[in-house]
Amino acid sequence: MRILVYGAGVLGSYLAHELVHGGNEVTMLARGRRADELQQNGNVIRHYLQLRTTVDKVNVIRELQPEDVYDLIFVVMKYPDFEAVLPALAANQSKHIIIMGNNASPIEMRHYLQSNSPVEKKVAFAFQTLAGWRENGRVNCLRGPKVTLVFGGLGEQLHWRSVIDQALKNTRYKTITFTNMDEWLKSHFILILPLNRIAVSYNGNLRKAARDKRLLNYVIDAIDEGHQVLIKNGYTITPANQQQLVRKYRKMFFTVLKIILSTPIGRIILSDKAVSANEMTALYQAFSDLKKRSNMATPNWDKLYNYTPLQ
């Protein structure tokens, strides 16, 4: 298949790697220094835990023209950056688009694309579970043996799922589908926003944060309050076991979180640089809007966002 990966950060680069491995003709859209790196050296990824480096040759473009038609376009970037690329995606004549990453407004994005395109757009949403960082012209990728890729529509069946299945055929993704990715994505940012405050509260010193029982309890209570805000707004927590994590399995969650914060891997996936500050700000604004509509108090969430460690 002829596939475009629109975005060449950590997540887009790993996705392109898997799609190449699956036998697809992959093009990456990148700009500036990143485009130069890809053209000169290929898509270089250091697989941190696997202790190996891969190099994939990919086609590189810097702009998406309306007549550049692909079988499938993956848009992989930070939530605040999606809005700027929607006009080019709408103008493009490709029919199948998957928007991948944290997202507080998938319904609005799909509506824009379908309302402003010269062709009928089929739009899905996705998320892949890995972390990493870029340095010295390569991506350092932190992942397990299998990377989970969650995808789906917005309450409807994906009648064009065969296109996605064909693209992911022979990749090493573990795929999970959800009918309503709007609920999954909202549930996800309700989880990551409080977790992100751990590093912020201790200026990135997660070992010290791991010893702060009061902080970790605020984090768990804030996640629970966030769930209640979503429920009050008519959403179902997705997946369902996420809600059980902070209630039925609270003690286990607390212990696992404490252990993760004390490990080198935890200091990567939960560091203050794991998710960009502007993305956290945009997602927090989305939560604030949901909270306002719910007319609910969130005392633990408020305590967490104003937290000062005891001296």
Side-chain angles (χ1 to χ4, degrees):
M1 294 181 68
R2 191 166 185 261
I3 300 176
L4 173 66
V5 177
Y6 198 127
V10 172
L11 301 180
S13 296
Y14 183 79
L15 172 64
H17 164 70
E18 283 294 342
L19 292 172
V20 168
H21 182 268
N24 298 288
E25 179 189 338
V26 179
T27 298
M28 297 181 71
L29 191 150
R31 297 189 175 94
R33 178 182 295 179
R34 182 61 179 149
D36 294 338
E37 292 170 352
L38 290 168
Q39 287 178 325
Q40 294 167 13
N41 305 315
N43 183 23
V44 184
I45 300 180
R46 175 63 177 173
H47 302 265
Y48 191 80
L49 296 179
Q50 289 74 21
L51 301 176
R52 67 188 184 94
T53 300
T54 57
V55 181
D56 298 304
K57 294 298 181 183
V58 293
N59 302 315
V60 181
I61 61 172
R62 298 175 188 248
E63 299 290 340
L64 178 62
Q65 301 300 328
E67 64 276 9
D68 293 339
V69 178
Y70 296 89
D71 298 313
L72 183 59
I73 297 177
F74 286 91
V75 189
V76 193
M77 53 187 58
K78 299 171 186 174
Y79 170 55
D81 298 336
F82 283 128
E83 185 176 1
V85 308
L86 290 178
L89 289 165
N92 182 263
Q93 295 184 37
S94 303
K95 295 180 179 180
H96 302 107
I97 295 178
I98 299 179
I99 298 177
M100 180 180 287
N102 288 314
N103 198 332
S105 50
I107 294 174
E108 294 83 353
M109 290 183 188
R110 184 181 67 175
H111 176 74
Y112 181 92
L113 289 172
Q114 293 180 336
S115 300
N116 293 278
S117 178
V119 298
E120 183 183 5
K121 285 282 197 290
K122 305 292 186 182
V123 185
F125 296 84
F127 193 93
Q128 55 180 335
T129 56
L130 68 138
W133 65 99
R134 278 174 42 199
E135 65 178 1
N136 302 324
R138 75 179 186 185
V139 164
N140 293 281
C141 181
L142 183 66
R143 62 176 181 84
K146 287 276 189 178
V147 172
T148 299
L149 193 153
V150 178
F151 71 91
L154 298 179
E156 77 287 351
Q157 294 295 324
L158 290 178
H159 297 298
W160 56 284
R161 176 171 173 169
S162 59
V163 176
I164 303 173
D165 290 340
Q166 180 62 31
L168 299 178
K169 186 178 180 181
N170 298 322
T171 67
R172 290 156 293 199
Y173 281 119
K174 174 187 176 183
T175 58
I176 302 175
T177 57
F178 287 94
T179 302
N180 195 330
M181 279 299 290
D182 184 36
E183 292 187 325
W184 191 97
L185 289 162
K186 284 181 169 59
S187 300
H188 182 70
F189 78 69
I190 289 298
L191 179 68
I192 65 170
L193 280 170
L195 290 173
N196 177 260
R197 298 303 300 179
I198 299 173
V200 173
S201 298
Y202 275 88
N203 294 316
N205 190 336
L206 295 188
R207 280 189 176 276
K208 188 175 289 187
R211 299 192 293 269
D212 191 332
K213 181 178 179 180
R214 186 171 65 128
L215 172 62
L216 300 190
N217 277 309
Y218 280 154
V219 167
I220 297 172
D221 288 334
I223 294 171
D224 192 29
E225 286 177 347
H227 288 160
Q228 301 316 305
V229 167
L230 286 184
I231 292 169
K232 188 72 179 291
N233 277 281
Y235 296 103
T236 299
I237 308 305
T238 308
N241 58 9
Q242 181 174 308
Q243 190 171 15
Q244 296 174 355
L245 191 64
V246 297
R247 291 198 163 184
K248 186 176 181 180
Y249 303 110
R250 180 190 178 103
K251 288 184 178 179
M252 181 190 74
F253 184 28
F254 180 95
T255 301
V256 171
L257 183 57
K258 187 179 179 70
I259 292 170
I260 290 174
L261 289 169
S262 303
T263 66
I265 292 176
R267 291 195 292 276
I268 295 172
I269 63 175
L270 291 176
S271 77
D272 51 350
K273 297 180 179 61
V275 183
S276 67
N278 66 330
E279 184 166 43
M280 285 295 100
T281 299
L283 293 173
Y284 182 73
Q285 182 59 55
F287 171 74
S288 297
D289 294 340
L290 289 166
K291 176 183 170 181
K292 185 176 181 180
R293 291 206 299 268
S294 72
N295 195 30
M296 285 182 59
T298 55
N300 290 292
W301 198 288
D302 299 338
K303 290 174 185 175
L304 178 61
Y305 268 74
N306 294 289
Y307 188 76
T308 301
L310 296 175
Q311 299 300 320

